[in-house]
Amino acid sequence: MRRQVQQFTNFSTRSATDSSSSLLKAKKWDALVIGGGHNGLTAAAYLAKSGLSVAVLERRHLIGGAAVTEELIPGFKFSRCSYLQSLLRPSVIKELELKRHGLKLLKRNPSSFTPCLDGRYLLLGPDKELNHAEISKFSKKDAEAYPRFEHQLENFCKFMDPLIDSSPPETLQRASSIKTHMKDRLDKSAFWAHCMRRAVSMGQREMVDFMDLLLSPASKVLNNWFETEVLKATLATDAVIGTTASVHTPGTGYVLLHHIMGETDGDRGIWSYVEGGMGSVSLAVGSAAQEAGATIVTKAEVSKLLIGDSGRVDGVLLSDGTEVQSSVVLSNATPYKTFMELVPEHVLPDDFLQAIKCSDYSSAATKINLAVERVPQFQCCKINHPNAGPQHMGTIHIGSESMEEVDSACQEAVNGFPSKRPIIEMTIPSVLDKTISPHGKHIINLFIQYTPYKPLDGSWEDPAYREEIFFTVPWGWILCSLCDLLKDGRITGLQYKVYTYVEVELILGEA
């Protein structure tokens, strides 16, 4: 049975004030972690496993950050923000024994479904025979090229894997002993030597292709491989998901690696649902951290870092006035939140602060969480029964059947207006996870691009504007034409929650 993470309740209650505040002030901690998101919890787990005393300070009433499960509608447990798992490193899962702590991954097969307005559809997944048969409906040439495309990306991922799992060769920031300097130089030399060996093993031609992938637009990469527009558009969404980038933006080719880089239980390219929702990832990591000795405190908002006269950190100040001492503080908040809001003024160099201030965190995505009576039926599948089929298992790509349509949708958002024909990624985790919704009912996630961070024709804080954009705009006809999720421009079923980045920032504290 999973050990539940001990979460101290609000400091405002007497007993909670006595327990958590006294515990935090009782000693000088070896390390403090600001924010209980899954990254902060992972850092805490590793530090605690190494024997250090660690406290995690989370502003909200529950841990997880964007990887949380919440019952937003009675009986329906939603992954509020993040909704798929794949890029959590296998080494982390193994070293923290996350499966023992309750992590259960649910593989999706098929993993992708694209319904088309002309009545055709494209299914893709780990089954190579299925992929060949599906792509052949559009192009025999592309069906033959697709395995080679995946093989090349897999080779590139094998080059990246050791780099991702290695510590970056950072520059020492303070005076150190000769022994420390020598060790630092040896570590850097080993890192770069490993990079060179991997590059040599790839060969000149493959290394040139790899660099081209890293720097090129996704459109260039995909046009070099395929001729079928719907196949290219389906793959291209992986390259721009969650960003304000177009398929023609240099660098988006690298994100295509995520198509293969992610894995589930040793199988590459498999993105999975998590039983119990994405909050189960955070609970498993938090449980591992606590078992290793870390202390996790919720409703503990950090207001400032404490900086001594020497310029070194001495700890943090909580919003209730509690001072928590430590000479090492890790921040799971954004660089902007950390350096512009938590670090006192006149501590950091002006040029560094200017660089942080100019960082662009704006996104053009909106998430709609739906509770529905049944799974949607798609016109192209000609199946009229309430049960889930292969088309419901993975990510359902709706709205763009060519890369130029993806680019047009992006340009509208860049100009300040919500896309008239956006990219919509639909997932229905309840078809595999029976723990998150009542029997026979389902949860649907709609991840929508592009919705500008600050639209020129309205405000996301205006309910009437939100209603117009998400449920009465012209792109509603796309959903109506492809499936029966919408009827007369309205969602059929129970209830829904809309999350633009206004809501996400309020919920997560702009962290």
Side-chain angles (χ1 to χ4, degrees), residues 211-279:
M211 295 305 298
D212 189 50
L213 178 76
L214 294 182
L215 302 175
S216 294
S219 57
K220 176 187 175 183
V221 176
L222 294 171
N223 281 329
N224 285 342
W225 277 98
F226 307 114
E227 62 185 9
T228 304
E229 285 300 326
V230 67
L231 174 61
K232 290 187 288 185
T234 298
L235 297 175
T237 59
D238 289 335
V240 299
I241 190 71
T243 72
T244 317
S246 162
V247 293
H248 300 316
T249 302
T252 52
Y254 159 74
V255 191
L256 289 171
L257 283 180
H258 290 192
H259 175 67
I260 296 294
M261 189 181 296
E263 63 180 79
T264 297
D265 295 336
D267 294 331
R268 279 194 181 273
I270 303 296
W271 292 62
S272 61
Y273 297 126
V274 181
E275 185 172 86
M278 293 300 292

Side-chain angles (χ1 to χ4, degrees), residues 243-474:
T243 72
T244 317
S246 162
V247 293
H248 300 316
T249 302
T252 52
Y254 159 74
V255 191
L256 289 171
L257 283 180
H258 290 192
H259 175 67
I260 296 294
M261 189 181 296
E263 63 180 79
T264 297
D265 295 336
D267 294 331
R268 279 194 181 273
I270 303 296
W271 292 62
S272 61
Y273 297 126
V274 181
E275 185 172 86
M278 293 300 292
S280 296
V281 174
S282 301
L283 285 177
V285 178
S287 178
Q290 187 191 40
E291 183 178 79
T295 297
I296 299 172
V297 185
T298 57
K299 294 191 176 179
E301 182 176 6
V302 174
S303 60
K304 283 293 179 183
L305 271 71
L306 302 174
I307 308 296
D309 294 336
S310 65
R312 298 287 301 277
V313 66
D314 290 332
V316 301
L317 176 68
L318 302 185
S319 58
D320 71 341
T322 300
E323 292 189 2
V324 189
Q325 303 297 317
S326 177
S327 56
V328 175
V329 177
L330 292 77
S331 179
N332 195 187
T334 63
Y336 188 93
K337 177 78 173 180
T338 301
F339 298 117
M340 300 300 297
E341 298 181 15
L342 298 183
V343 175
E345 294 181 357
H346 311 302
V347 171
L348 298 170
D350 290 340
D351 57 345
F352 175 81
L353 292 177
Q354 182 62 25
I356 295 296
K357 189 181 299 184
C358 292
S359 298
D360 185 4
Y361 292 102
S362 62
S363 178
T366 291
K367 185 158 184 273
I368 302 179
N369 295 323
L370 306 170
V372 297
E373 296 281 4
R374 57 177 176 76
V375 293
Q377 299 301 321
F378 294 90
Q379 309 296 334
C380 58
C381 292
K382 309 298 183 184
I383 301 174
N384 294 312
H385 60 78
N387 299 322
Q391 68 272 26
H392 298 108
M393 297 297 169
T395 298
I396 302 164
H397 301 271
I398 294 175
S400 294
E401 298 178 24
S402 73
M403 290 195 295
E404 290 310 311
E405 289 173 349
V406 177
D407 178 62
S408 296
C410 177
Q411 294 308 316
E412 288 174 331
V414 169
N415 292 332
F417 302 97
S419 305
K420 294 178 181 177
R421 182 170 179 167
I423 304 168
I424 304 172
E425 288 204 352
M426 177 192 297
T427 53
I428 315 174
S430 52
V431 300
L432 293 178
D433 184 358
K434 306 305 181 183
T435 70
I436 57 176
S437 62
H439 178 70
K441 296 179 172 59
H442 288 278
I443 282 175
I444 294 179
N445 302 311
L446 297 179
F447 196 80
I448 300 171
Q449 290 179 232
Y450 297 84
T451 52
Y453 187 78
K454 293 182 178 179
L456 296 181
D457 59 344
S459 169
W460 297 126
E461 297 176 357
D462 179 3
Y465 179 76
R466 292 155 62 90
E467 178 79 6
E468 176 188 359
I469 294 300
F470 294 119
F471 302 113
T472 61
V473 295

Side-chain angles (χ1 to χ4, degrees), residues 368 370-372 374 376 426 444 446 463-481 483-498:
I368 302 179
L370 306 170
V372 297
R374 57 177 176 76
M426 177 192 297
I444 294 179
L446 297 179
Y465 179 76
R466 292 155 62 90
E467 178 79 6
E468 176 188 359
I469 294 300
F470 294 119
F471 302 113
T472 61
V473 295
W475 62 261
W477 74 268
I478 300 172
L479 281 173
C480 292
S481 301
C483 70
D484 59 358
L485 181 62
L486 292 183
K487 184 177 182 180
D488 298 326
R490 307 298 305 175
I491 291 177
T492 60
L494 298 176
Q495 303 177 58
Y496 56 87
K497 299 286 184 181
V498 178

Side-chain angles (χ1 to χ4, degrees), residues 200-221:
V200 170
S201 68
M202 288 179 70
Q204 181 177 356
R205 173 62 185 273
E206 196 168 17
M207 195 64 193
V208 170
D209 290 341
F210 178 58
M211 295 305 298
D212 189 50
L213 178 76
L214 294 182
L215 302 175
S216 294
S219 57
K220 176 187 175 183
V221 176

